[in-house]
Amino acid sequence: MQNFTVRATGDRPAPFQQIVIPLSDGTRLTARLWLPEAPAASRVPVVLEWIPYRQSDGTALADAMMHGYFAECGIAACRVDIRGSGNSEGLLHDEYLKQEQDDTLEVIAWLAAQAWCNGNVGMIGISWGGFAGLQIAARRPPALKAIITACSTDDRYSDDVHFMGGALLNDGLQWGAGLFTQLGRPADPKHAGQNWRDIWMHRLENIEPPLAGWLSHMERDAFWKHGSVCENYGDIDCAVFAVGGWVDGYSDPILRLMRKLNVPRKGLIGPWTHMYPTWGQPGPRIGFLQECMRWWRHWLLEDDTGIMDEPMLRLWVGDDPKPDAASPEIGGSWIGLESWPPEAPAKTLYADDRCLSETPGGTAGAIILDSPLTLGATGGEWCPLDAGGNGPEFASDQRPDDGQSLCFDTGPLDHPLHLVGHAALKLRLAFAGERALLVVRLNEVKADGTSARVTFTARRLRRPEGVAPGEAFDIAIPVNAVAHRFSPGSRLRLALSTSYWPMIWPEAEGNAIRIQPESLQLSLPGMPPGAIHDQPAFGAALHAMPVSCETVVAPEYRRTTVTDQATGRVALFSEDTPSTWEIDGLSITSRYDHDYSILPRDGGSARAGFQFAQTYERDSWKVSIETDTQVFREDGRLVLTSRFAAYEADRQIFERLWTHSFDE
C-alpha cells in the first residue's frame, strides 16, 4: 500500500452509495457514487473514474480520498469497475478493447441522465484510467466536457509500459503477469451476492494471458494503433488536462498533447513517479485536488476559476538530484510556459576524445561498444512504484553502470546549464546483425563523483534497407524530455551502452556497435526566454478522509542481486514478504515476487519470472489464487509460460498451463 499521509479535509469519510449500472446487453457493472450534500433540487455534474482495480477493496482508500473530496466540494463522483473486474459481471480480456470503450459511452449517458445530474460529465484517471479518458474523449460522447488524464499516453507502442524505442521493457512483462492475475480475481459475495461463484468461474474458464497477445506484436501495427489517440488528435474535442512526472515513464506524451491537440488544454509535469501529485514521490506533494476542482468548476459548472488564464504548461525544473533506490531527492522550482514547444536556445556538444566540448575536437578513431549484458543494475524500474509497492525501485548512483559504458563528459561547469525539452543525439554507427540495442543516458556528475541519471532513452536499432552488415549509417535519437538545471561544478555525462538490464530485455550475443565518435553531436535545448519563473505556489496536499482499514501484517521489500561465479548467472530478485490488510470485514493476504536472470555463457540467454498469490477471506468464505509467469529465450525464440491456479477453502478448483513462443 502506498503512503497516503497528507492532510485530510474532514474527520470522517465522505458518504457514498454502492450502486449497479445496467448495460444494454444485460451486463451489470458495480460502482460507488459520491453525491454532494446539497438541496434536493440542485443538479450537479459528475466525474467518472473507469478502471478495473476493485473499488470495494483494491482502490477503496484512494477512491474515498479523491472522489470524496470532489463530493465535499460540490461535484458528484462515480468510480466504476469495468466489465469483468471487481464485482462487475462479464469478461475482461485485455487492455482498452472496443467493448470497454462502448461500455463507457453507455455509462456516461446513464450518469448524465440521472435526476441529480446537470448533464455534464468529466473523466479522471491515472494509468489505465488516464488512457481511458483520452480514448473516450476521442469517441466524443456528447455529455463529456473535460478530462484529467494522469500518467497515460497518446501512443500505446512508443510510450507505454510495453516498449521503449522498440526495445521490450521488463516492466511490460511484469504488468502482463499482474493483469493476468487480476483477470481471475473473485467477486466478493458481500457485493455480488450468491452469484459470486458463477461470476468467478466464468472468468477462470475464459482467461487467457494478455502477454501472449502483446508479444505477438513486437512492431508498431494495428494492434497498438487501436487506442492510440495520436492516430488522429482531431478526434478529441473536449478540454484536456494532462498530468505526470519526470520520474514516470509517461512524461513525453504530455508534451505531445500540448503540441498536437487543438482544444483547450493544460499540462503539469512535476518531480514524481506513477502517482497523483497529491501523493507524489519523490516530491514535493502539491494540492492537486484543488487544481482538479478549479478545472471541474470551469468546465462542468461554467465558473470562472481563472485556471484557463494561467500558463498552458507548468514544469518542474529539477536541480541538485540525490540518487537513491528507495528515496531519491530532486530539488528545483516551477516554471510556466504559454506554448509547447517553446523557442529556446540550444547548445551543441561534440566528442573530443572521451570529453564533450562546444567545438569539434580530435578523436581516436572508431570505438567498439559491446556492453556486458548485466549493465543497468543501478537503473531501477522503468516506472518506479507502478505496482503500488514502496520497494527500492528508483535509479541509484549510476557509477557502477557508467564504469561499464562509453562515457563522454563535459568539464566542471562554470555556469548553470539548463536542459528543457528533448536533448538529441546524432551519431554514425554500424553493426553486423539485423538489430542492435543502444541506450543513451544523460547524467549529472557531482563534485564528489556521484552520478545521477537525469534522463535517458533506448532504441532497438534496425539496419536501414540497402545498408550492408557492418556498413555505417547515421542515426538521430531524441532523448526523453526533461527540465533540469545542471549546477556549477557538476559535469554533464553522456553514457552509451548496448544493454540496460533488468529494465530492458537484452539482445542476444553479437550486439556490438561500432561508433564513429567524430560524428557525435549532442544538442541540448536550454531555458526558454519566455519561461515564467514567478509561479504561484500550489496549495497544501489535501484529500478527504479515507475509509477505515487496518494493516495486519506490513510487507517488507527486498531487492538483491546475486552472481553465481560457477555458472556466470546473474540474477536480480525483487521480493515482497506476505502482507495482510483488512477492509470492510474482508481480509486480503498478498505475496508478490519477481526475478530477472542473465546467463551470459548460454548464448546471451535471459529469463524473467513473476509470481503472485492472494487470499481473500470474509467470515467462513475463503478463496485463493496463484499465478506464475515465466519469459525466457530458447533456441532463438522468446518463450512465455503461464500458470493460473484457484482454490476455494484450500481445495483446488482450477488450474491451467499455457505455453507460447514468439519471434524476437
Side-chain angles (χ1 to χ4, degrees):
M1 293 169 55
Q2 296 173 5
N3 178 8
F4 288 118
T5 307
V6 297
R7 186 150 54 94
T9 56
D11 56 4
R12 61 183 178 86
F16 63 85
Q17 306 171 32
Q18 197 74 45
I19 65 171
V20 173
I21 301 176
L23 298 178
S24 57
D25 67 356
T27 302
R28 293 157 51 89
L29 305 183
T30 57
R32 284 190 171 176
L33 176 66
W34 289 259
L35 293 176
E37 295 181 3
S42 297
R43 285 159 43 99
V44 296
V46 60
V47 172
L48 168 66
E49 185 175 20
W50 179 264
I51 51 177
Y53 303 132
R54 301 181 60 92
Q55 42 81 20
S56 62
D57 48 71
T59 62
L61 272 70
D63 294 346
M65 289 187 280
M66 181 170 72
H67 298 306
Y69 181 87
F70 295 158
E72 289 176 350
C73 295
I75 301 286
C78 186
R79 164 65 176 89
V80 180
D81 274 339
I82 69 177
R83 179 189 294 258
S85 70
N87 300 304
S88 293
E89 298 173 348
L91 295 174
L92 175 62
H93 296 291
D94 202 350
E95 307 170 310
Y96 321 128
L97 299 179
K98 184 177 181 298
Q99 177 69 68
E100 178 190 333
Q101 297 179 12
D102 293 343
D103 290 348
T104 320
L105 300 182
E106 285 198 51
V107 169
I108 288 174
W110 186 90
L111 290 170
Q114 298 306 297
W116 47 262
C117 184
N118 71 355
N120 293 336
V121 179
M123 286 188 73
I124 190 170
I126 184 169
S127 200
W128 189 308
F131 281 67
L134 286 171
Q135 293 169 13
I136 299 309
R139 296 286 299 270
R140 298 187 175 188
L144 185 64
K145 308 303 181 189
I147 67 170
I148 298 176
T149 176
C151 304
S152 68
T153 187
D154 57 341
D155 191 328
R156 294 183 56 214
Y157 184 78
S158 72
D159 288 279
D160 194 7
V161 70
H162 309 288
F163 299 96
M164 174 184 276
L168 181 63
L169 292 167
N170 276 327
D171 265 36
L173 303 180
Q174 176 185 343
W175 163 230
L179 179 57
F180 178 53
T181 306
Q182 292 187 43
L183 296 181
R185 286 175 173 170
D188 185 340
K190 177 175 179 178
H191 300 285
Q194 294 302 311
N195 197 34
W196 76 269
R197 197 176 192 280
D198 292 339
I199 294 174
W200 189 32
M201 293 307 299
H202 188 47
R203 292 175 183 174
L204 294 173
E205 290 163 359
N206 289 277
I207 196 170
E208 294 288 341
L211 260 178
W214 304 348
L215 295 176
S216 298
H217 300 272
M218 298 290 283
E219 306 289 342
R220 192 173 192 277
D221 58 14
F223 181 87
W224 301 111
K225 291 177 182 179
H226 169 77
S228 294
V229 300
C230 64
E231 292 297 303
N232 186 1
Y233 291 101
D235 286 340
I236 296 177
D237 65 357
C238 71
V240 174
F241 187 2
V243 181
W246 297 125
V247 189
D248 184 44
Y250 295 93
S251 53
D252 274 9
I254 298 171
L255 300 178
R256 283 200 301 271
L257 290 168
M258 296 304 102
R259 177 164 58 99
K260 296 286 190 178
L261 289 176
N262 292 312
V263 297
R265 59 202 182 277
K266 294 190 74 68
L268 173 67
I269 307 178
W272 311 304
T273 183
H274 202 72
M275 52 186 61
Y276 285 120
T278 308
W279 302 282
Q281 296 182 42
R285 297 167 175 175
I286 66 168
F288 175 63
L289 297 184
Q290 296 96 299
E291 296 301 303
C292 292
M293 280 306 307
R294 295 175 67 214
W295 178 260
W296 297 136
R297 295 194 69 85
H298 180 96
W299 292 107
L300 305 183
L301 287 169
E302 298 183 355
D303 285 354
D304 184 7
T305 64
I307 193 166
M308 298 310 296
D309 300 326
E310 298 168 359
M312 183 183 76
L313 183 61
R314 292 186 74 173
L315 304 178
W316 179 265
V317 181
D319 70 10
D320 192 24
K322 295 178 175 60
D324 186 284
S327 56
E329 298 178 22
I330 305 174
S333 59
W334 294 100
I335 63 170
L337 295 170
E338 297 292 354
S339 63
W340 188 268
E343 294 292 333
K347 180 187 291 291
T348 300
L349 302 176
Y350 305 88
D352 183 357
D353 195 13
R354 297 299 176 93
C355 298
L356 289 174
S357 170
E358 294 188 37
T359 58
T363 58
I367 298 174
I368 302 299
L369 180 60
D370 192 7
S371 309
L373 291 177
T374 53
L375 186 154
T378 65
E381 304 219 358
W382 177 80
C383 201
L385 309 188
D386 184 18
N390 291 315
E393 297 182 351
F394 295 95
S396 55
D397 190 336
Q398 297 290 285
R399 279 180 285 187
D401 287 338
D402 291 352
Q404 303 178 83
S405 303
L406 174 60
C407 294
F408 301 88
D409 288 11
T410 67
L413 299 172
D414 295 325
H415 305 284
L417 173 64
H418 285 97
L419 168 57
V420 181
H422 294 276
L425 176 67
K426 292 183 178 180
L427 192 62
R428 189 164 181 82
L429 51 74
F431 49 85
E434 289 295 320
R435 307 295 294 255
L437 177 66
L438 180 63
V439 178
V440 181
R441 290 180 290 127
L442 296 182
N443 301 338
E444 180 171 355
V445 182
K446 307 302 285 294
D448 65 0
T450 302
S451 181
R453 194 183 71 204
V454 172
T455 183
F456 73 109
T457 195
R459 286 295 183 274
R460 192 175 188 222
L461 303 170
R462 184 194 295 271
R463 278 191 294 107
E465 186 175 350
V467 173
E471 181 181 351
F473 60 95
D474 295 316
I475 62 168
I477 299 177
V479 186
N480 289 353
V482 74
H484 187 79
R485 175 186 180 272
F486 293 85
S487 299
S490 292
R491 291 173 286 145
L492 182 153
R493 172 170 293 164
L494 167 66
L496 304 177
S497 64
T498 57
S499 58
Y500 206 49
W501 173 89
M503 183 187 295
I504 296 173
W505 186 260
E507 292 294 310
E509 289 183 339
N511 187 41
I513 295 176
R514 188 178 77 250
I515 290 174
Q516 297 182 2
E518 71 278 5
S519 68
L520 189 150
Q521 296 182 35
L522 179 65
S523 177
L524 305 168
M527 178 62 69
I532 305 167
H533 294 271
D534 57 341
Q535 291 297 291
F538 289 102
L542 302 177
H543 61 68
M545 181 68 73
V547 294
S548 176
C549 71
E550 179 185 1
T551 299
V552 180
V553 179
E556 297 179 9
Y557 302 97
R558 305 186 184 115
R559 192 176 179 94
T560 57
T561 303
V562 178
T563 300
D564 186 333
Q565 299 287 353
T567 65
R569 177 177 181 257
V570 181
L572 185 146
F573 299 93
S574 183
E575 302 168 296
D576 298 357
T577 59
S579 60
T580 301
W581 69 296
E582 294 181 352
I583 183 169
D584 190 30
L586 178 68
S587 173
I588 305 174
T589 299
S590 302
R591 193 204 79 237
Y592 170 42
D593 301 323
H594 55 286
D595 59 271
Y596 309 96
S597 300
I598 295 290
L599 296 93
R601 299 178 189 174
D602 188 20
S605 182
R607 176 181 288 269
F610 311 90
Q611 300 82 38
F612 292 83
Q614 282 194 319
T615 297
Y616 298 82
E617 296 183 77
R618 182 190 293 282
D619 300 325
S620 61
W621 176 73
K622 177 182 179 182
V623 298
S624 303
I625 56 175
E626 296 175 355
T627 65
D628 188 334
T629 300
Q630 301 288 326
V631 183
F632 52 93
R633 182 179 284 129
E634 185 175 76
D635 298 329
R637 289 176 63 80
L638 202 60
V639 179
L640 166 68
T641 65
S642 311
R643 173 183 177 267
F644 199 113
Y647 304 83
E648 186 176 359
D650 299 321
R651 178 178 63 88
Q652 187 175 89
I653 61 167
F654 177 85
E655 183 179 30
R656 187 176 171 188
L657 305 173
W658 295 260
T659 300
H660 300 85
S661 64
F662 315 91
D663 292 327
E664 288 191 73

